[in-house]
Amino acid sequence: HNSASSTISKWALFSGVAACQNLTVHQQLNEGARYLDVRICGHNDDIVISHGIVKGGKLSDVVDEVEAFRCDNPKEFVIIEIKDEAPMTSSQKHQVLHLIQSTFGERMITYTDFQTWFQLKQVTMGDIRRRQKNVLILIHNSFCFHRQGIEYDMNIVAKE
């Protein structure tokens, strides 16, 4: 639950109930976690971890931790669920998509993969390893937005 909440300062108001984890994301992955529940919100010009109204560290730092683990463990498969905890601007949401794509790139399971070989009822870890894909990003429907005349519905978000 709220995997990146260890980034919330212990001095933050309500941190006692908001920080559900005391291990960093990298430590959780090293301990065997392969599913990460990452909740975010926009804060000024950045995207940060959040749990309700309590804000934590930068999403980019959490993504860097996952990438470091992925590089050290190229055969491991990680699922990251991203949920916006508070309203975000379309620019902030686009920033999140860009961060994910620029960090995980070719190693990320894509919309096209779901339409071809990545069929949940039959895909195996062998299939995933053969294709050298080891990150699956799940994004909630609330992440749809409009930007520069483009409607980023779930089909477009998945393709980004």
Side-chain angles (χ1 to χ4, degrees):
H1 175 75
N2 214 334
S3 305
S5 63
S6 66
T7 67
I8 295 171
S9 168
K10 66 181 179 179
W11 304 111
L13 189 61
F14 303 117
S15 65
V17 293
C20 304
Q21 305 297 328
N22 60 1
L23 298 177
T24 67
V25 165
H26 197 269
Q27 290 169 327
Q28 290 174 58
L29 291 167
N30 280 332
E31 292 292 325
R34 294 298 177 267
Y35 168 85
L36 301 172
D37 169 19
V38 178
R39 300 173 189 206
I40 60 173
C41 71
H43 182 66
N44 299 327
D45 290 334
D46 218 334
I47 309 301
V48 298
I49 302 306
S50 69
H51 192 178
I53 61 169
V54 183
K55 294 172 180 52
K58 293 181 179 183
L59 174 63
S60 59
D61 293 340
V62 172
V63 169
D64 288 345
E65 287 185 65
V66 175
E67 178 62 2
F69 175 82
R70 191 197 64 71
C71 288
D72 291 343
N73 303 277
K75 292 186 177 183
E76 293 294 335
F77 182 63
V78 178
I79 300 170
I80 306 168
E81 181 176 6
I82 297 176
K83 181 179 183 219
D84 47 340
E85 282 273 284
M88 296 172 62
T89 67
S90 59
S91 179
Q92 290 168 330
K93 290 179 180 185
H94 195 265
Q95 183 181 346
V96 171
L97 296 180
H98 178 74
L99 172 65
I100 291 167
Q101 180 61 40
S102 64
T103 303
F104 301 121
E106 300 278 320
R107 301 300 234 149
M108 191 169 49
I109 293 173
T110 65
Y111 181 75
T112 303
D113 296 332
F114 269 99
Q115 292 180 317
T116 56
W117 65 271
F118 194 87
Q119 301 298 310
L120 290 177
K121 291 184 179 182
Q122 61 192 25
V123 70
T124 66
M125 287 305 297
D127 296 330
I128 292 166
R129 287 185 180 126
R130 257 189 308 285
R131 288 173 173 81
Q132 298 182 340
K133 303 263 186 165
N134 60 357
V135 178
L136 175 62
I137 305 293
L138 304 175
I139 297 179
H140 281 249
N141 284 340
S142 62
F143 217 79
C144 298
F145 61 96
H146 295 273
R147 183 167 189 263
Q148 297 176 343
I150 299 172
E151 162 109 21
Y152 283 79
D153 62 10
M154 287 317 292
N155 290 326
I156 299 294
V157 168
K159 291 175 185 175
E160 286 281 314

